[in-house]
């Protein structure tokens, strides 16, 4: 697993300090953008509430629980910047779970774009090119582990 530079870690921690205190509203911004970029992803969320349209999905208690979980994954990554390797098993398992419910690895890219959008929207002028790159570096490490888990789960299903 790759490592982040000390500069990247500092940028990520400083930017997350304010955002991490109010996770769900920032997560809703992220998922609103995700569904704007790829509306077909709504079909992956089959709750009792109709998730065929983004506003209904985004207000569903079950979906808000999912948003909370995603934001806690980001929080865990930020909290473990000095030892992202310690999250390897967790991220592999997360990748397996995403494969099992029909998420394609290409969707991880759109989620990353949505994360960057949320950061830019929330941080305003504090969102700089170096900050964007630091988050991209961290996200690529997280997605790399999730993709390995996704692929392993696919191998097990095809055997």
């Amino acid at each position: 697993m790759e490592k982040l530079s000390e500069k990247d870690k500092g940028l990520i921690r400083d930017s997350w300090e304010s955002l991490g205190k109010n996770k769900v509203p920032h997560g809703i911004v992220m998922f609103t953008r995700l569904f704007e970029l790829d509306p077909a992803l709504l079909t992956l969320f089959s709750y009792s509430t109709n998730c065929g349209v983004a506003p209904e999905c985004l207000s569903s208690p079950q979906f808000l629980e999912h948003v909370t979980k995603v934001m806690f994954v980001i929080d865990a990554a930020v909290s473990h910047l000095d030892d992202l390797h310690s999250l390897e098993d967790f991220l592999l398992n997360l990748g397996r779970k995403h494969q099992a419910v029909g998420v394609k690895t290409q969707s991880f890219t759109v989620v990353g774009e949505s994360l960057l959008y949320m950061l830019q929207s929330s941080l305003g002028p504090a969102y700089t090119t170096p900050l964007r790159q630091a988050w991209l570096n961290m996200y690529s490490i997280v997605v790399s582990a999730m993709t390995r888990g996704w692929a392993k789960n696919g191998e097990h299903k095809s055997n």
Side-chain angles (χ1 to χ4, degrees), residues 75-106:
D75 195 60
V78 173
S79 298
H80 290 84
L81 290 174
D82 289 321
D83 188 20
L84 281 171
H85 181 73
S86 67
L87 296 178
E88 177 94 4
D89 289 341
F90 172 77
L91 295 172
L92 289 169
N93 189 46
L94 195 56
R96 284 191 282 274
K97 287 180 180 179
H98 279 77
Q99 194 277 340
V101 298
V103 174
K104 306 290 182 218
T105 56
Q106 298 89 326

mmCIF file of all heavy atoms in Angstrom, residues 75-106:
data_model
loop_
_atom_site.group_PDB
_atom_site.id
_atom_site.type_symbol
_atom_site.label_atom_id
_atom_site.label_comp_id
_atom_site.label_asym_id
_atom_site.label_seq_id
_atom_site.Cartn_x
_atom_site.Cartn_y
_atom_site.Cartn_z
ATOM 1 N N ASP A 75 -13.638 9.437 7.171
ATOM 2 C CA ASP A 75 -13.102 9.843 8.469
ATOM 3 C C ASP A 75 -12.042 8.852 8.960
ATOM 4 O O ASP A 75 -11.000 9.250 9.471
ATOM 5 C CB ASP A 75 -14.248 9.960 9.479
ATOM 6 C CG ASP A 75 -13.860 10.720 10.725
ATOM 7 O OD1 ASP A 75 -13.470 11.906 10.603
ATOM 8 O OD2 ASP A 75 -13.932 10.133 11.819
ATOM 9 N N ALA A 76 -12.312 7.567 8.777
ATOM 10 C CA ALA A 76 -11.340 6.542 9.192
ATOM 11 C C ALA A 76 -10.047 6.678 8.404
ATOM 12 O O ALA A 76 -8.948 6.564 8.970
ATOM 13 C CB ALA A 76 -11.933 5.145 9.009
ATOM 14 N N ALA A 77 -10.174 6.922 7.100
ATOM 15 C CA ALA A 77 -8.970 7.088 6.277
ATOM 16 C C ALA A 77 -8.168 8.299 6.753
ATOM 17 O O ALA A 77 -6.942 8.219 6.891
ATOM 18 C CB ALA A 77 -9.350 7.224 4.810
ATOM 19 N N VAL A 78 -8.861 9.399 7.018
ATOM 20 C CA VAL A 78 -8.171 10.606 7.487
ATOM 21 C C VAL A 78 -7.518 10.345 8.845
ATOM 22 O O VAL A 78 -6.392 10.765 9.110
ATOM 23 C CB VAL A 78 -9.135 11.814 7.554
ATOM 24 C CG1 VAL A 78 -8.466 13.018 8.212
ATOM 25 C CG2 VAL A 78 -9.625 12.176 6.157
ATOM 26 N N SER A 79 -8.213 9.619 9.708
ATOM 27 C CA SER A 79 -7.685 9.318 11.045
ATOM 28 C C SER A 79 -6.487 8.377 11.012
ATOM 29 O O SER A 79 -5.721 8.318 11.969
ATOM 30 C CB SER A 79 -8.778 8.688 11.913
ATOM 31 O OG SER A 79 -9.842 9.582 12.092
ATOM 32 N N HIS A 80 -6.352 7.629 9.914
ATOM 33 C CA HIS A 80 -5.262 6.647 9.810
ATOM 34 C C HIS A 80 -4.258 7.007 8.708
ATOM 35 O O HIS A 80 -3.630 6.120 8.125
ATOM 36 C CB HIS A 80 -5.846 5.256 9.533
ATOM 37 C CG HIS A 80 -6.588 4.686 10.697
ATOM 38 N ND1 HIS A 80 -7.890 4.988 10.957
ATOM 39 C CD2 HIS A 80 -6.183 3.860 11.689
ATOM 40 C CE1 HIS A 80 -8.276 4.362 12.046
ATOM 41 N NE2 HIS A 80 -7.259 3.674 12.525
ATOM 42 N N LEU A 81 -4.116 8.284 8.439
ATOM 43 C CA LEU A 81 -3.201 8.706 7.372
ATOM 44 C C LEU A 81 -1.775 8.222 7.599
ATOM 45 O O LEU A 81 -1.052 7.940 6.647
ATOM 46 C CB LEU A 81 -3.205 10.229 7.221
ATOM 47 C CG LEU A 81 -4.476 10.837 6.635
ATOM 48 C CD1 LEU A 81 -4.387 12.353 6.682
ATOM 49 C CD2 LEU A 81 -4.722 10.350 5.230
ATOM 50 N N ASP A 82 -1.369 8.111 8.861
ATOM 51 C CA ASP A 82 -0.010 7.661 9.158
ATOM 52 C C ASP A 82 0.146 6.156 8.988
ATOM 53 O O ASP A 82 1.267 5.650 8.927
ATOM 54 C CB ASP A 82 0.394 8.064 10.579
ATOM 55 C CG ASP A 82 0.621 9.563 10.691
ATOM 56 O OD1 ASP A 82 1.174 10.153 9.742
ATOM 57 O OD2 ASP A 82 0.228 10.143 11.726
ATOM 58 N N ASP A 83 -0.973 5.453 8.919
ATOM 59 C CA ASP A 83 -0.922 3.995 8.790
ATOM 60 C C ASP A 83 -2.154 3.496 8.025
ATOM 61 O O ASP A 83 -2.968 2.746 8.558
ATOM 62 C CB ASP A 83 -0.863 3.354 10.181
ATOM 63 C CG ASP A 83 -0.625 1.855 10.113
ATOM 64 O OD1 ASP A 83 -0.140 1.373 9.068
ATOM 65 O OD2 ASP A 83 -0.954 1.167 11.093
ATOM 66 N N LEU A 84 -2.294 3.937 6.783
ATOM 67 C CA LEU A 84 -3.430 3.493 5.966
ATOM 68 C C LEU A 84 -3.428 1.977 5.798
ATOM 69 O O LEU A 84 -4.474 1.366 5.623
ATOM 70 C CB LEU A 84 -3.406 4.179 4.598
ATOM 71 C CG LEU A 84 -3.927 5.615 4.563
ATOM 72 C CD1 LEU A 84 -3.655 6.256 3.206
ATOM 73 C CD2 LEU A 84 -5.394 5.689 4.914
ATOM 74 N N HIS A 85 -2.247 1.375 5.903
ATOM 75 C CA HIS A 85 -2.135 -0.082 5.774
ATOM 76 C C HIS A 85 -3.013 -0.791 6.806
ATOM 77 O O HIS A 85 -3.528 -1.877 6.547
ATOM 78 C CB HIS A 85 -0.680 -0.522 5.908
ATOM 79 C CG HIS A 85 -0.488 -1.994 5.758
ATOM 80 N ND1 HIS A 85 -0.582 -2.627 4.535
ATOM 81 C CD2 HIS A 85 -0.255 -2.968 6.676
ATOM 82 C CE1 HIS A 85 -0.407 -3.932 4.716
ATOM 83 N NE2 HIS A 85 -0.203 -4.160 5.998
ATOM 84 N N SER A 86 -3.216 -0.168 7.966
ATOM 85 C CA SER A 86 -4.030 -0.793 9.012
ATOM 86 C C SER A 86 -5.495 -0.928 8.588
ATOM 87 O O SER A 86 -6.243 -1.706 9.178
ATOM 88 C CB SER A 86 -3.926 -0.011 10.320
ATOM 89 O OG SER A 86 -4.529 1.265 10.177
ATOM 90 N N LEU A 87 -5.901 -0.206 7.545
ATOM 91 C CA LEU A 87 -7.276 -0.296 7.038
ATOM 92 C C LEU A 87 -7.418 -1.283 5.883
ATOM 93 O O LEU A 87 -8.512 -1.447 5.338
ATOM 94 C CB LEU A 87 -7.750 1.091 6.573
ATOM 95 C CG LEU A 87 -7.856 2.178 7.627
ATOM 96 C CD1 LEU A 87 -8.283 3.494 6.979
ATOM 97 C CD2 LEU A 87 -8.822 1.790 8.725
ATOM 98 N N GLU A 88 -6.329 -1.928 5.499
ATOM 99 C CA GLU A 88 -6.318 -2.798 4.314
ATOM 100 C C GLU A 88 -7.442 -3.839 4.338
ATOM 101 O O GLU A 88 -8.212 -3.950 3.386
ATOM 102 C CB GLU A 88 -4.960 -3.487 4.181
ATOM 103 C CG GLU A 88 -4.878 -4.454 3.018
ATOM 104 C CD GLU A 88 -4.313 -3.849 1.751
ATOM 105 O OE1 GLU A 88 -3.895 -2.691 1.758
ATOM 106 O OE2 GLU A 88 -4.288 -4.557 0.739
ATOM 107 N N ASP A 89 -7.553 -4.615 5.408
ATOM 108 C CA ASP A 89 -8.583 -5.660 5.467
ATOM 109 C C ASP A 89 -9.986 -5.057 5.386
ATOM 110 O O ASP A 89 -10.860 -5.587 4.708
ATOM 111 C CB ASP A 89 -8.446 -6.505 6.734
ATOM 112 C CG ASP A 89 -7.220 -7.406 6.690
ATOM 113 O OD1 ASP A 89 -6.691 -7.652 5.581
ATOM 114 O OD2 ASP A 89 -6.783 -7.859 7.769
ATOM 115 N N PHE A 90 -10.189 -3.964 6.096
ATOM 116 C CA PHE A 90 -11.476 -3.281 6.069
ATOM 117 C C PHE A 90 -11.824 -2.834 4.645
ATOM 118 O O PHE A 90 -12.941 -3.035 4.168
ATOM 119 C CB PHE A 90 -11.441 -2.082 7.027
ATOM 120 C CG PHE A 90 -12.649 -1.199 6.933
ATOM 121 C CD1 PHE A 90 -13.845 -1.587 7.510
ATOM 122 C CD2 PHE A 90 -12.588 0.021 6.269
ATOM 123 C CE1 PHE A 90 -14.973 -0.772 7.420
ATOM 124 C CE2 PHE A 90 -13.702 0.834 6.176
ATOM 125 C CZ PHE A 90 -14.893 0.443 6.752
ATOM 126 N N LEU A 91 -10.858 -2.241 3.941
ATOM 127 C CA LEU A 91 -11.096 -1.740 2.588
ATOM 128 C C LEU A 91 -11.277 -2.877 1.590
ATOM 129 O O LEU A 91 -12.092 -2.777 0.665
ATOM 130 C CB LEU A 91 -9.965 -0.805 2.160
ATOM 131 C CG LEU A 91 -9.867 0.494 2.967
ATOM 132 C CD1 LEU A 91 -8.596 1.256 2.605
ATOM 133 C CD2 LEU A 91 -11.107 1.361 2.778
ATOM 134 N N LEU A 92 -10.531 -3.966 1.757
ATOM 135 C CA LEU A 92 -10.727 -5.141 0.897
ATOM 136 C C LEU A 92 -12.153 -5.662 1.056
ATOM 137 O O LEU A 92 -12.833 -5.965 0.060
ATOM 138 C CB LEU A 92 -9.726 -6.246 1.240
ATOM 139 C CG LEU A 92 -8.266 -5.998 0.858
ATOM 140 C CD1 LEU A 92 -7.368 -7.056 1.496
ATOM 141 C CD2 LEU A 92 -8.089 -5.994 -0.653
ATOM 142 N N ASN A 93 -12.611 -5.752 2.288
ATOM 143 C CA ASN A 93 -13.963 -6.221 2.562
ATOM 144 C C ASN A 93 -15.008 -5.264 1.985
ATOM 145 O O ASN A 93 -16.025 -5.697 1.436
ATOM 146 C CB ASN A 93 -14.175 -6.403 4.066
ATOM 147 C CG ASN A 93 -15.471 -7.094 4.369
ATOM 148 O OD1 ASN A 93 -15.820 -8.105 3.762
ATOM 149 N ND2 ASN A 93 -16.213 -6.545 5.313
ATOM 150 N N LEU A 94 -14.737 -3.980 2.081
ATOM 151 C CA LEU A 94 -15.644 -2.988 1.523
ATOM 152 C C LEU A 94 -15.740 -3.145 -0.002
ATOM 153 O O LEU A 94 -16.826 -3.043 -0.577
ATOM 154 C CB LEU A 94 -15.148 -1.588 1.894
ATOM 155 C CG LEU A 94 -16.096 -0.428 1.717
ATOM 156 C CD1 LEU A 94 -17.399 -0.636 2.481
ATOM 157 C CD2 LEU A 94 -15.417 0.864 2.178
ATOM 158 N N GLY A 95 -14.625 -3.414 -0.631
ATOM 159 C CA GLY A 95 -14.627 -3.671 -2.073
ATOM 160 C C GLY A 95 -15.441 -4.909 -2.421
ATOM 161 O O GLY A 95 -16.204 -4.916 -3.391
ATOM 162 N N ARG A 96 -15.295 -5.969 -1.620
ATOM 163 C CA ARG A 96 -16.078 -7.198 -1.829
ATOM 164 C C ARG A 96 -17.573 -6.908 -1.716
ATOM 165 O O ARG A 96 -18.377 -7.377 -2.527
ATOM 166 C CB ARG A 96 -15.671 -8.269 -0.824
ATOM 167 C CG ARG A 96 -14.356 -8.948 -1.140
ATOM 168 C CD ARG A 96 -14.131 -10.187 -0.274
ATOM 169 N NE ARG A 96 -13.690 -9.854 1.071
ATOM 170 C CZ ARG A 96 -12.423 -9.651 1.413
ATOM 171 N NH1 ARG A 96 -11.459 -9.743 0.518
ATOM 172 N NH2 ARG A 96 -12.106 -9.364 2.659
ATOM 173 N N LYS A 97 -17.948 -6.127 -0.699
ATOM 174 C CA LYS A 97 -19.363 -5.794 -0.505
ATOM 175 C C LYS A 97 -19.909 -5.004 -1.688
ATOM 176 O O LYS A 97 -21.034 -5.244 -2.132
ATOM 177 C CB LYS A 97 -19.546 -4.973 0.782
ATOM 178 C CG LYS A 97 -19.391 -5.779 2.044
ATOM 179 C CD LYS A 97 -19.588 -4.900 3.272
ATOM 180 C CE LYS A 97 -19.439 -5.689 4.543
ATOM 181 N NZ LYS A 97 -19.599 -4.848 5.743
ATOM 182 N N HIS A 98 -19.115 -4.080 -2.200
ATOM 183 C CA HIS A 98 -19.570 -3.295 -3.340
ATOM 184 C C HIS A 98 -19.717 -4.167 -4.594
ATOM 185 O O HIS A 98 -20.645 -3.986 -5.370
ATOM 186 C CB HIS A 98 -18.628 -2.116 -3.591
ATOM 187 C CG HIS A 98 -18.886 -0.961 -2.684
ATOM 188 N ND1 HIS A 98 -18.482 -0.946 -1.366
ATOM 189 C CD2 HIS A 98 -19.550 0.201 -2.883
ATOM 190 C CE1 HIS A 98 -18.862 0.186 -0.810
ATOM 191 N NE2 HIS A 98 -19.523 0.898 -1.700
ATOM 192 N N GLN A 99 -18.818 -5.111 -4.767
ATOM 193 C CA GLN A 99 -18.936 -6.019 -5.913
ATOM 194 C C GLN A 99 -20.193 -6.867 -5.776
ATOM 195 O O GLN A 99 -20.924 -7.075 -6.738
ATOM 196 C CB GLN A 99 -17.683 -6.906 -6.009
ATOM 197 C CG GLN A 99 -17.530 -7.642 -7.317
ATOM 198 C CD GLN A 99 -18.320 -8.943 -7.397
ATOM 199 O OE1 GLN A 99 -18.709 -9.523 -6.391
ATOM 200 N NE2 GLN A 99 -18.575 -9.390 -8.611
ATOM 201 N N ALA A 100 -20.479 -7.314 -4.570
ATOM 202 C CA ALA A 100 -21.626 -8.197 -4.326
ATOM 203 C C ALA A 100 -22.960 -7.516 -4.615
ATOM 204 O O ALA A 100 -23.924 -8.187 -4.989
ATOM 205 C CB ALA A 100 -21.597 -8.709 -2.881
ATOM 206 N N VAL A 101 -23.032 -6.201 -4.444
ATOM 207 C CA VAL A 101 -24.294 -5.501 -4.693
ATOM 208 C C VAL A 101 -24.374 -4.905 -6.103
ATOM 209 O O VAL A 101 -25.318 -4.203 -6.425
ATOM 210 C CB VAL A 101 -24.590 -4.418 -3.627
ATOM 211 C CG1 VAL A 101 -24.743 -5.041 -2.249
ATOM 212 C CG2 VAL A 101 -23.540 -3.329 -3.630
ATOM 213 N N GLY A 102 -23.370 -5.182 -6.920
ATOM 214 C CA GLY A 102 -23.444 -4.779 -8.322
ATOM 215 C C GLY A 102 -22.750 -3.481 -8.679
ATOM 216 O O GLY A 102 -22.913 -2.975 -9.794
ATOM 217 N N VAL A 103 -21.970 -2.920 -7.767
ATOM 218 C CA VAL A 103 -21.217 -1.701 -8.083
ATOM 219 C C VAL A 103 -20.074 -2.071 -9.019
ATOM 220 O O VAL A 103 -19.376 -3.060 -8.799
ATOM 221 C CB VAL A 103 -20.667 -1.040 -6.793
ATOM 222 C CG1 VAL A 103 -19.769 0.140 -7.122
ATOM 223 C CG2 VAL A 103 -21.807 -0.618 -5.883
ATOM 224 N N LYS A 104 -19.905 -1.296 -10.063
ATOM 225 C CA LYS A 104 -18.792 -1.481 -10.995
ATOM 226 C C LYS A 104 -17.604 -0.634 -10.529
ATOM 227 O O LYS A 104 -17.786 0.433 -9.950
ATOM 228 C CB LYS A 104 -19.188 -1.057 -12.414
ATOM 229 C CG LYS A 104 -20.437 -1.738 -12.930
ATOM 230 C CD LYS A 104 -20.195 -3.189 -13.200
ATOM 231 C CE LYS A 104 -21.430 -3.861 -13.755
ATOM 232 N NZ LYS A 104 -21.621 -5.200 -13.266
ATOM 233 N N THR A 105 -16.404 -1.102 -10.798
ATOM 234 C CA THR A 105 -15.228 -0.349 -10.340
ATOM 235 C C THR A 105 -15.161 1.040 -10.983
ATOM 236 O O THR A 105 -14.604 1.958 -10.388
ATOM 237 C CB THR A 105 -13.924 -1.116 -10.618
ATOM 238 O OG1 THR A 105 -13.847 -1.433 -12.006
ATOM 239 C CG2 THR A 105 -13.831 -2.377 -9.776
ATOM 240 N N GLN A 106 -15.749 1.213 -12.160
ATOM 241 C CA GLN A 106 -15.762 2.529 -12.803
ATOM 242 C C GLN A 106 -16.499 3.550 -11.936
ATOM 243 O O GLN A 106 -16.216 4.742 -11.996
ATOM 244 C CB GLN A 106 -16.445 2.468 -14.183
ATOM 245 C CG GLN A 106 -15.764 1.566 -15.177
ATOM 246 C CD GLN A 106 -16.263 0.122 -15.118
ATOM 247 O OE1 GLN A 106 -16.618 -0.410 -14.070
ATOM 248 N NE2 GLN A 106 -16.262 -0.537 -16.266
#
